[in-house]
Amino acid sequence: MLPEGTDAPDFELRSTAERGTTRLTEFRGRPVVVVFYPGDFSPVCTDQLTLYNELLPEFERYDAQLLGISVDSLWSHLAFARDRKLRFPLLADFHPKGAVSKQYGVYDEDKGISERALYVIDRDGKISWSYLSPRDVNPGADGILEALEALGRPADAKASSRS
Amino acid sequence: MSSRDHTLGPEDAPVTLVEYGDYQCPYCGMAYPIVNAVREEMGDDLRFVFRHFPITTIHPYAEGAAEAAEAAGAQGEFWEMHDWLFEHQDSLAPNDLVEAAGVLDLDVDRFVADLAQHHFAPRVREDFMSGVRSGVNGTPTLFINGLRHDGEWDEDSLLAALRQAAGVRA
């Protein structure tokens, strides 16, 4: 995985966002939580992404943007997002397959899918935290919230940039 | 563990099983008879704690059901309502909850007022966030003596894990 402190490689992928694509640099100035996951429609009702969806108000307190990325096609993403009522974009790392996952060091060549991995990117576009989860273990959200806390609240950030 | 928790079983039991659950989640519904069975098997060696983890975006009645359990709890009937909810997972709409309050012989006016004013919403949210902070990743999530149980939770597997925890502690 990419080490903390390095620039997060920019990417632009087709996505479930209204404009049809999502680019990382759109969110410069805000923390971004990037969630790589193996595939849409895991066979449990409250899976990882559903949990994060439920936690969007918490992420919003940090002004953070959540993005989900897997190698599924946009059509699969749209169906999955509708089924789980997801209110954040899912990005299709579909063509060339897994290119962004590879850039971030979280692509499983054998299986042809993304690992279950988390990145928190700070307001300046640098990696501030990352976590690689065993594929069949849902990592929960406690690590993400701690990483966002470490970046400070929006008000704190403004105060520190003024000083 | 704190005094605000809803618990069953002796306080000094060697094993504490905490469930973070959602009354509308079918997997929690599947876990319900299993938890009852292992409580029976473990007897005084087990204390059981239930905390709310409603996933409201996919389970529209989960929050109301959790608040209903708390509202019943305020009248001393938390576990009675808890059982009713898991035994009627397909009827958790507001009118169903009011009916349940009647069946359980609660003060229905007070119960309805508590639900209408979301009197126990902050309490449910506290449970939810305590779960998020402890690594709850879906429902049900079980903790055995403070450690997340990532293994299977069919009756045999759960009982084995609980007995092992009892042995370690003893």
Side-chain angles (χ1 to χ4, degrees), chain B residues 50-70:
Chain B
F50 185 86
R51 294 184 186 147
H52 303 293
F53 205 81
I55 305 282
T56 59
T57 46
I58 51 170
H59 298 146
Y61 295 139
E63 172 70 23
E67 291 181 27
E70 289 301 324

Side-chain angles (χ1 to χ4, degrees), chain A residues 43-47 50-51 53-55 58 62 83-85 87 137-142 145-146 149, chain B residues 22 25-27 53-59 125 128-129 132-140 148 150:
Chain A
V44 292
C45 63
T46 50
D47 60 3
T50 312
L51 173 67
N53 195 47
E54 191 76 19
L55 280 168
E58 294 299 319
Y62 298 96
D83 185 65
R84 307 293 160 100
K85 303 186 170 63
R87 292 170 293 138
V137 177
N138 173 344
D142 45 325
L145 289 173
E146 274 166 32
E149 222 154 65
Chain B
D22 167 327
C25 162
Y27 295 88
F53 205 81
I55 305 282
T56 59
T57 46
I58 51 170
H59 298 146
R125 187 71 190 168
F128 183 83
M129 285 313 297
V132 170
R133 290 306 187 143
S134 344
V136 169
N137 53 17
T139 51
R148 193 172 76 196
D150 284 331

Side-chain angles (χ1 to χ4, degrees), chain A:
Chain A
M1 292 184 78
L2 299 171
E4 287 169 23
T6 53
D7 288 324
D10 192 19
F11 52 77
E12 178 160 24
L13 291 171
R14 295 188 72 191
S15 82
T16 57
E18 215 161 296
R19 55 184 285 240
T21 62
T22 296
R23 185 171 182 178
L24 179 62
T25 47
E26 284 172 46
F27 308 107
R28 191 56 55 84
R30 298 171 58 196
V32 181
V33 179
V34 184
V35 180
F36 290 93
Y37 63 101
D40 295 335
F41 294 106
S42 65
V44 292
C45 63
T46 50
D47 60 3
Q48 186 186 2
L49 296 188
T50 312
L51 173 67
Y52 298 165
N53 195 47
E54 191 76 19
L55 280 168
L56 284 179
E58 294 299 319
F59 296 138
E60 279 159 15
R61 290 171 58 206
Y62 298 96
D63 195 32
Q65 174 67 44
L66 184 66
L67 303 175
I69 301 184
S70 77
V71 299
D72 292 293
S73 73
L74 182 59
W75 305 109
S76 172
H77 275 344
L78 286 166
F80 182 55
R82 189 180 313 125
D83 185 65
R84 307 293 160 100
K85 303 186 170 63
L86 301 181
R87 292 170 293 138
F88 59 90
L90 298 180
L91 284 61
D93 197 7
F94 181 70
H95 183 71
K97 191 179 169 195
V100 173
S101 304
K102 283 175 199 164
Q103 267 190 306
Y104 278 76
V106 294
Y107 188 69
D108 182 330
E109 291 282 354
D110 278 352
K111 298 230 160 59
I113 52 178
S114 306
E115 301 277 0
R116 201 176 284 286
L118 304 170
Y119 278 100
V120 170
I121 297 168
D122 71 14
R123 297 178 178 83
D124 302 321
K126 291 193 190 314
I127 309 278
S128 70
W129 179 80
S130 66
Y131 179 75
L132 178 66
S133 181
R135 187 169 310 127
D136 53 357
V137 177
N138 173 344
D142 45 325
I144 297 174
L145 289 173
E146 274 166 32
L148 289 174
E149 222 154 65
L151 294 179
R153 293 283 165 77
D156 303 345
K158 271 178 213 140
S160 67
S161 66
R162 251 185 271 130
S163 65

